[in-house]
Amino acid sequence: MNRFPVIIDCDPGVDDVAALLLARQIETMDLKAITTVSGNVEVEKTTANAKKARHAMGIDVPIFAGAKKPMFREAKHAYHFHGEDGLSGVVYECPDSPTEEEKAWDAMYRIGKESGGELTIVAVGPMTNLGLAIAKYNDFASVVKRVVIMGGAAIGGNVTPCAEFNIYADPEAADILFQSGIPVYMCGLDVTMKAYMTRDELEEIKGMNTPQTDFFYDVTNEGLIKYIGFGHPGVAMHDPVAVLYAADDSIFKTEHVGIRVETKGELTLGKTVTDLYSDKQWEHNAYIVTDVDREAFIAKVKELMAKYK
Ligand code: RIB
Ligand code: CA
């Protein structure tokens, strides 16, 4: 089986934890590292939550802490959705475990070089660590094969009417990434809002009765209650989309487009501007994921979570 080297850069975060639990069961993913960043909550908390996810995953993958704040702005958090602890108050007891001294952006570069340019980075939080790595290492683009992000949207936003949180939190880092020359695959709200899990589907995960499926259920249930309250048919599985896309894009629709990020606007700050719906075409520097076979996506989530015994 051809396995590919992966780093998951994240800000756990309830859906980040779900994404990590799923990644552990994807046999083709050779998870080299988990890197953490300030986002949903402070980096100290996202790192602590990543350690909890690692314990549940049951693997000895190194964790590298990253940026405490965006490259040029003050930190923004999403306590309203993830709670001040980042796990919506979900308690997951486990012994403490170490994190590495090396900074996330340095680890990304080192592991990229060690992986012979075959490294995939799945970034499901603000892209600050990537922005710093690109700024620090002028050959960073040569050591990374592709970056799959959860972030942005061709249409809409979830922090403002036109900006999604991961981009809005650090728009400069995101624009640096899109201009870096690295192939970027954007799993934005256009697809993640379609990749929702219903109450019945989540209860099937609960029925699997393992510590990992219980953890997955608890962190996802909090979001489900909120999304149902918004009138959505289920909870958007934002970060799991990016992980499953990186492993197999066959159930998704992908378009090659031009993407840049608004970093100066007031009302439009953090918007991912794409030429997807325009006849004014830019250089096609990235890829946007616009659709998913939802039933196939949920079936894959269930298949992966059922692997926990
Ligand atoms: O907008 C959704 C994204 O912001 C997800 O990555 C979620 O974890 C938050 O970071
Ligand atoms: Ca996230």
Side-chain angles (χ1 to χ4, degrees):
M1 174 186 302
N2 291 330
R3 303 182 75 220
F4 63 98
V6 175
I7 290 176
I8 296 179
D9 187 50
C10 55
D11 61 338
V14 292
D15 56 328
D16 306 69
V17 167
L20 289 166
L21 289 170
L22 289 164
R24 187 264 181 273
Q25 298 296 14
I26 298 175
E27 292 174 9
T28 54
M29 273 195 175
D30 177 10
L31 186 58
K32 295 293 188 182
I34 296 170
T35 54
T36 60
V37 68
S38 167
N40 289 320
V41 290
E42 297 81 349
V43 69
E44 295 78 9
K45 297 177 188 173
T46 61
T47 304
N49 293 335
K51 293 200 278 188
K52 293 182 178 181
R54 174 174 61 182
H55 182 269
M57 294 157 77
I59 54 176
D60 189 21
V61 59
I63 295 174
F64 301 87
K68 292 181 181 292
K69 63 181 289 294
M71 292 182 79
F72 306 104
R73 297 174 182 272
E74 290 312 306
K76 295 186 180 75
H77 301 305
Y79 299 144
H80 64 286
F81 194 87
H82 298 267
E84 293 209 8
D85 66 337
L87 296 183
S88 294
V90 167
V91 175
Y92 180 85
E93 298 291 351
C94 68
D96 193 17
S97 58
T99 54
E100 309 301 316
E101 287 300 314
E102 189 177 14
K103 285 298 184 190
W105 49 87
D106 293 327
M108 286 176 170
Y109 181 65
R110 174 179 56 78
I111 295 169
K113 287 176 65 176
E114 292 168 355
S115 302
E118 288 304 307
L119 179 65
T120 291
I121 297 177
V122 180
V124 294
M127 282 131 248
T128 312
N129 291 335
L130 281 162
L132 291 169
I134 293 164
K136 182 172 181 180
Y137 298 101
N138 59 21
D139 62 338
F140 186 72
S142 69
V143 303
V144 175
K145 183 175 185 179
R146 60 177 177 153
V147 174
V148 179
I149 69 169
M150 190 283 136
I155 299 173
N158 61 7
V159 181
T160 73
C162 56
E164 176 279 329
F165 176 78
N166 287 341
I167 307 292
Y168 184 77
D170 196 342
E172 286 82 4
D175 200 45
I176 286 168
L177 175 62
F178 280 116
Q179 293 196 68
S180 67
I182 300 169
V184 179
Y185 295 79
M186 182 171 94
C187 300
L189 300 176
D190 316 279
V191 64
T192 64
M193 291 301 286
K194 295 172 184 172
Y196 60 84
M197 180 172 275
T198 67
R199 164 60 64 198
D200 289 348
E201 291 159 349
L202 184 58
E203 292 302 323
E204 285 185 55
I205 302 282
K206 176 75 173 167
M208 295 176 185
N209 286 322
T210 66
Q212 293 82 2
T213 52
D214 286 348
F215 194 16
F216 182 104
Y217 176 89
D218 291 341
V219 294
T220 305
N221 187 49
E222 295 301 318
L224 177 62
I225 293 166
K226 294 183 179 74
Y227 270 96
I228 296 291
F230 302 151
H232 204 59
V235 55
M237 302 298 281
H238 298 297
D239 294 348
V241 165
V243 164
L244 266 62
Y245 182 87
D248 176 5
D249 62 12
S250 64
I251 62 169
F252 297 91
K253 183 179 179 186
T254 307
E255 306 263 7
H256 196 189
V257 293
I259 303 180
R260 288 292 306 276
V261 179
E262 177 58 72
T263 60
K264 303 286 184 291
E266 184 181 342
L267 299 179
T268 56
L269 180 67
K271 177 170 182 53
T272 46
V273 182
T274 85
D275 61 8
L276 180 61
Y277 299 112
S278 171
D279 62 356
K280 299 294 178 287
Q281 294 291 290
W282 282 343
E283 176 213 350
H284 283 184
N285 64 318
Y287 300 84
I288 185 170
V289 186
T290 57
D291 206 354
V292 61
D293 176 337
R294 192 196 75 86
E295 285 67 32
F297 173 79
I298 294 299
K300 193 65 182 172
V301 169
K302 290 178 192 172
E303 174 196 324
L304 292 170
M305 292 309 295
K307 289 184 177 181
Y308 285 107
K309 298 300 178 199

